[in-house]
Amino acid sequence: EVQLVESGGGLVKPGGSLRLSCAASGFSFSTYSMNWVRQAPGKGLDWVSSISSGSGYMFYADSVKGRFTISRDNANNLLYLQMNSLRAEDTAVYYCARNDDSDQGIDYWGQGTLVTVSS
Amino acid sequence: QSVLTQPPSASGTPGQRVTISCSGSDSNIGSHYVYWYQLLPGTAPKLLIYRNNQRPSGVPDRFSGSKSGTSASLAISGLRSEDEADYYCAAWDDRLRGRVFGGGTKLTVL
C-alpha cells in the first residue's frame, strides 16, 4: 500500500524557515517523480514544486521560486521541502504527492502538514 | 485566478447526473492529460480520473471523464449524498513549466 507521511509543519514567524519531510513507503520511491502541493485555508489546491526520480529536474511555482528548495533522498525514501523567507501567504496545508506511472499527473497524496506563518 | 477554469459550484438531486467543466489552453489541457480529484473536508485529495478518462480501481463507474481540445469535463451519474465534496481538475502546463489546477467546484447534493 502506498503511504506518504508528511512532517515538519508548525508555526513560524514571517521571514523564518521550515523544512518539511515526507516519508514514502509501499512503492519503489526512487523510480517516481514527486511533488509538493498546498492548500491555503478556504482556498483551492496550489502546486508548489516537483522533482524527477533522480533529482535531475526540479520545477517551482513562481510564487516560491528562489525561496523554496525541493530535494529527495532515494536511499531513505524521503522527500523534502526547504522553505525560507516565509510569508503569511505561505500559510497552508502542504501535501506530499506522487506522480503516476505516466509521469503526467498525481495519483497518491499524503494527509498533509499544516504550516502557519504568523507573528 | 486559476489557470484552469471551473465553475465555483454545481448541484443536483440524488440520482441525477451532473457535469463539471474545466477549461484551459493549448499549453495545458490541449497538450497533456487531465486529472480529476475529489476533496472531502479534513481528508487528503483522492484521485478520481487519470489520463483524461481512466478510473483508478475502487472509483465507482458513476464517475467518468472526457476531454476535447482545450476543455475537459467530469460527469457524475446516479448522484449520491456522499458525492458532496470539492472537485478539482489538473494538468501540466508547458508554458508555466508546472502543474496547474482549476479553482475547484463545490458540489452540493440537494
Side-chain angles (χ1 to χ4, degrees), chain B residues 36-53:
Chain B
W36 289 91
Y37 304 96
Q38 179 190 58
L39 271 76
L40 293 164
T43 68
K46 174 186 175 183
L47 176 66
L48 281 181
I49 297 290
Y50 65 100
R51 296 181 217 170
N52 302 334
N53 55 19

Side-chain angles (χ1 to χ4, degrees), chain B residues 10-92:
Chain B
S11 63
T13 56
Q16 261 191 334
R17 182 178 189 269
V18 297
T19 301
I20 297 171
S21 62
C22 176
S23 178
S25 66
D26 288 337
S27 63
N28 43 65
I29 293 179
S31 307
H32 296 280
Y33 290 125
V34 177
Y35 289 67
W36 289 91
Y37 304 96
Q38 179 190 58
L39 271 76
L40 293 164
T43 68
K46 174 186 175 183
L47 176 66
L48 281 181
I49 297 290
Y50 65 100
R51 296 181 217 170
N52 302 334
N53 55 19
Q54 302 299 302
R55 265 189 320 276
S57 60
V59 173
D61 59 6
R62 301 185 297 106
F63 294 89
S64 62
S66 64
K67 174 183 140 174
S68 177
T70 59
S71 294
S73 63
L74 172 72
I76 310 171
S77 60
L79 204 59
R80 304 174 69 157
S81 58
E82 56 260 41
D83 298 333
E84 192 161 283
D86 294 328
Y87 294 86
Y88 290 84
C89 59
W92 184 263

Side-chain angles (χ1 to χ4, degrees), chain A residues 7-19:
Chain A
S7 60
L11 176 63
V12 61
K13 289 182 168 51
S17 298
L18 212 55
R19 188 176 85 154

Side-chain angles (χ1 to χ4, degrees), chain A residues 60-75:
Chain A
Y60 298 92
D62 285 345
S63 58
V64 306
K65 208 170 287 183
R67 300 188 299 124
F68 290 11
T69 302
I70 191 171
S71 62
R72 62 191 297 162
D73 176 357
N74 284 346

Side-chain angles (χ1 to χ4, degrees), chain A residues 37-38 44-48 106 109, chain B residues 2-6 22 35 37 88-91 99-104:
Chain A
V37 179
R38 66 186 179 184
L45 296 174
D46 180 34
W47 171 77
V48 174
I106 291 170
W109 303 67
Chain B
S2 302
V3 174
L4 303 182
T5 301
Q6 295 180 236
C22 176
Y35 289 67
Y37 304 96
Y88 290 84
C89 59
R99 193 171 313 282
V100 291
F101 287 93

